[in-house]
Amino acid sequence: MNYKLLFSHRKLWTLGRRRSTSRLHEGIRVSGQALFSSCSPKVCVVGSGPGGFYTAQHLIKARPDVELDIYERLPVPFGLVRFGVAPDHPEVKNVINTFTQTAKHSRCNFYGNVNVGRDVTINELKEAYHAVVLSYGAEGNRTMGVPGEDLAGVYAAKDFVGWYNGLPNCRELNPDLSCETAVILGQGNVALDVARILLAPINDYILFLQSTDITQPALEALAQSQVRRVLIVGRRGPLQIACTIKEIREMVNLPGTKPEMLPADFEGISEVLKDVPRPRKRLTELMLKTALETPGEKELERRKSASRSWGFRFFRSPVEVLAEPRTNKTSAIRLAVNRLEVEGFTRAVLTGEVEDVTCGLVISSIGYRSLLIDPGLPFDSRKAIIPNSMGRIQHTPGVYCSGWVKTGPTGVIATTMNNSFDTARSMMEDMDSGALDVSAVKSGSQSITALLRGRGVKPVTFADWEKIDSVETKKGEAEGKPREKLLSVEEMLQVAQT
Amino acid sequence: MGLVTALRCLKPRCWSRTVTAAWSGWKGGERSFTTGKQLRSDNKVTVNFINRDGDRITVKGSPGESLLDVVINEDLDFDGFGACEGTLACSTCHLIFDEEMYKKLGPVTDEEMDMLDLAYGLTDTSRLGCQICLSKSLEGMVARVPESVADIRQTKDGSS
């Protein structure tokens, strides 16, 4: 069955007509002349991931006069939908369809290959547009801040994910998968994505991966991987785990693997469950079942034949990554043992004990982090977000933010959708109240593209992206994959601009 | 795992029910000398949506269609509804029913429950619209679109 897209043009037009008619009448009453020549508000959005696209979508839908330009640093759009979502979660990427509709709308233009902060400044955008929305996400990571973090074999989850998802600046990562044990710090959904991919090289799962958009080099490296055991480590306890039940269920059902949990970690947990809300309760019950229940015959058989294992480890924080003597290769990670203290919220407190875990691969999945792209902007470096109130950037009228740079790097696509809609609503309120002055004539993309031309920057249009899309799709077809991603900016530009 | 994901991309429940409904309709349905068009409208199921402004919107869907299908086909304008296009990868088609209707909707799979658990404003009579298939027994159903479409994936105590 074909899905009609939710973003219905027919509906949009009807909504628009009512609004512009009333505005027209207002214009005639007030000034005695029609407001036909009132310029359309010009808005630019920086970043083309879910944050940027959902904000754009809401604005275009709600105001029939807004003209919108989306600037993106890479030649390809969609941000973390393309580079973050795990290859074995293709249905999550369906949002690309609705983003494509928005990009192809007559009042929306996409300009890829434009680095805001380097090729053009925020001030220059402020001059050319009535409003600027920053939705450039979180491209950095939180560091563990421990000795040995720079040893060979230690990677940030963001980079590991970028590597198997084809992010251009991660293509040289070449992670060393020749060790038996991998330790992942952090227990959010990204950590579980990484664990699934690491445990893939077996039977059905890698065959399945071969039918996804995981990059070919990553697939080949995984096929050679010696990793047999993955430990997913968190500072606190089972009740504080940050991942969601769907991802835990996927681990439990992962073919060719068996769970390896420590029953002691779950002491006292089932007693407190009855008062816990259903979502947390179900998730914890699934973990308890996996850790404590004696498996049935079928499951026992399955576990006996499993060649790989995974497990959660709780109450542990990294204190040092240890190297093999006289090398810079990771040989173990030293973990501090924690206990929990409840003071309003539950936090981990060091007990003084440590324990060493032998491993050759350490992946730190403790959070992405937004960067400051223009020194003129306010920035909260503790939370790593741009300080704002409902998307309105503090002390910076006319500049808004949405997505992770607004709220911090947590949440799924739908969370970002809601947060983007909120920012769009704030901007519309400001347009209606006059707090955002849209009466002046602004040059919009005309002046910005001229400026970029003068600086030797050639933007990639949406039609250009569709050329890249077509090449990737065709390459993928030959291998039974939805696409084979181009891995470098140079290749992308070559396809886009010839 | 792959099989599960692959299945999610189809709409197994609704799709097979469409086939069944069509087949049993053809085999044992009442004979009628009216035109095909009228036969189809006899088969339709009335669904009432209460949108976020409290307005009641009454539409008709065909047996076998999911409530998400109905929202899309009738161009109902619920902000952000059905982001993953019915593949159990989000919770944005969250709908709330009254007790009686909820009981008629049948059992919930673990997979639906897993995604429903992330819905904002979750209630005991909540379901995901993409998993509810229309049938004549659901005639006149009322489905409320709750306040927001935010997925909540934060630690319970809000610490980062």
Side-chain angles (χ1 to χ4, degrees), chain A residues 1 3-4 6 8 10-11 54 58 61 88 91-92 94-95 97 189 205 208 235-236 240 244-246 249-250 255 277-279 282 345-346 412 414-415 417-418, chain B residues 1-2 5 8-9 11 69 72-73 75 77 79-85 87 89 92 110 113-118 122 148-151 153 155-157 159-160:
Chain A
M1 175 181 271
Y3 282 105
K4 270 196 224 168
L6 292 168
S8 156
R10 181 167 62 98
K11 203 75 191 167
Y54 276 125
H58 205 265
K61 190 173 160 192
D88 57 349
E91 60 281 345
V92 176
N94 284 345
V95 292
N97 298 331
N189 285 337
Y205 215 66
F208 169 62
R235 289 172 303 157
R236 297 182 295 172
Q240 288 78 37
T244 49
I245 190 173
K246 171 182 157 194
R249 206 181 288 285
E250 286 173 344
R278 189 184 92 185
R282 287 180 74 240
F345 64 89
T346 311
V412 292
T415 324
M417 167 169 48
N418 214 55
Chain B
M1 185 55 236
T5 313
R8 255 192 239 135
C9 293
K11 281 185 300 150
D69 291 333
I72 294 177
N73 293 338
D75 274 330
D77 194 14
D79 258 351
F81 201 86
C84 77
E85 299 179 5
T87 54
T92 60
D110 271 340
M113 196 79 95
D114 287 352
M115 296 318 294
L116 200 48
D117 276 354
L118 308 178
L122 180 67
S148 159
V149 293
D151 261 344
R153 293 195 194 199
T155 54
K156 184 168 183 251
D157 51 21
S159 57
S160 52

Side-chain angles (χ1 to χ4, degrees), chain B:
Chain B
M1 185 55 236
L3 193 59
V4 172
T5 313
L7 277 177
R8 255 192 239 135
C9 293
L10 299 170
K11 281 185 300 150
R13 290 173 63 210
C14 293
W15 186 64
S16 59
R17 280 201 205 176
T18 311
V19 171
T20 316
W23 173 248
S24 52
W26 182 82
K27 263 178 48 176
E30 287 171 8
R31 288 279 211 108
S32 165
F33 295 96
T34 56
T35 63
K37 221 180 182 176
Q38 201 159 3
L39 259 177
R40 274 200 293 280
S41 67
D42 278 352
N43 239 355
K44 292 278 200 175
V45 179
T46 310
V47 180
N48 302 288
F49 289 100
I50 313 277
N51 72 9
R52 293 187 184 106
D53 295 325
D55 304 321
R56 175 179 283 242
I57 303 168
T58 303
V59 292
K60 288 198 195 279
S62 305
E65 280 186 338
S66 73
L67 288 179
L68 176 60
D69 291 333
V70 175
V71 168
I72 294 177
N73 293 338
E74 298 297 313
D75 274 330
L76 300 183
D77 194 14
F78 306 145
D79 258 351
F81 201 86
C84 77
E85 299 179 5
T87 54
L88 278 181
C90 75
S91 60
T92 60
C93 64
H94 176 204
L95 292 168
I96 299 179
F97 302 87
D98 60 65
E99 280 264 10
E100 234 184 270
M101 179 52 57
Y102 179 77
K103 287 192 191 122
K104 287 195 198 163
L105 298 175
V108 193
T109 60
D110 271 340
E111 287 189 327
E112 181 185 338
M113 196 79 95
D114 287 352
M115 296 318 294
L116 200 48
D117 276 354
L118 308 178
Y120 186 79
L122 180 67
T123 68
D124 289 332
T125 54
S126 287
R127 290 294 300 269
L128 293 182
C130 66
Q131 301 300 298
I132 310 284
C133 295
L134 289 183
S135 64
K136 278 314 260 179
S137 63
L138 303 179
E139 169 66 31
M141 71 168 2
V142 179
R144 186 163 66 82
V145 184
E147 262 305 320
S148 159
V149 293
D151 261 344
I152 298 190
R153 293 195 194 199
Q154 305 160 11
T155 54
K156 184 168 183 251
D157 51 21
S159 57
S160 52

Side-chain angles (χ1 to χ4, degrees), chain A residues 348-378:
Chain A
V349 165
L350 297 170
T351 58
E353 266 182 68
V354 293
E355 114 190 330
D356 290 353
V357 177
T358 306
C359 61
L361 184 62
V362 171
I363 299 192
S364 101
S365 182
I366 57 176
Y368 286 50
R369 207 186 134 85
S370 290
L371 305 178
L372 181 59
I373 63 171
D374 190 305
L377 291 167

Side-chain angles (χ1 to χ4, degrees), chain A residues 137-157:
Chain A
E139 59 185 296
N141 20 254
R142 284 179 71 190
T143 51
M144 290 189 281
V146 304
E149 194 157 8
D150 50 356
L151 286 173
V154 182
Y155 306 97

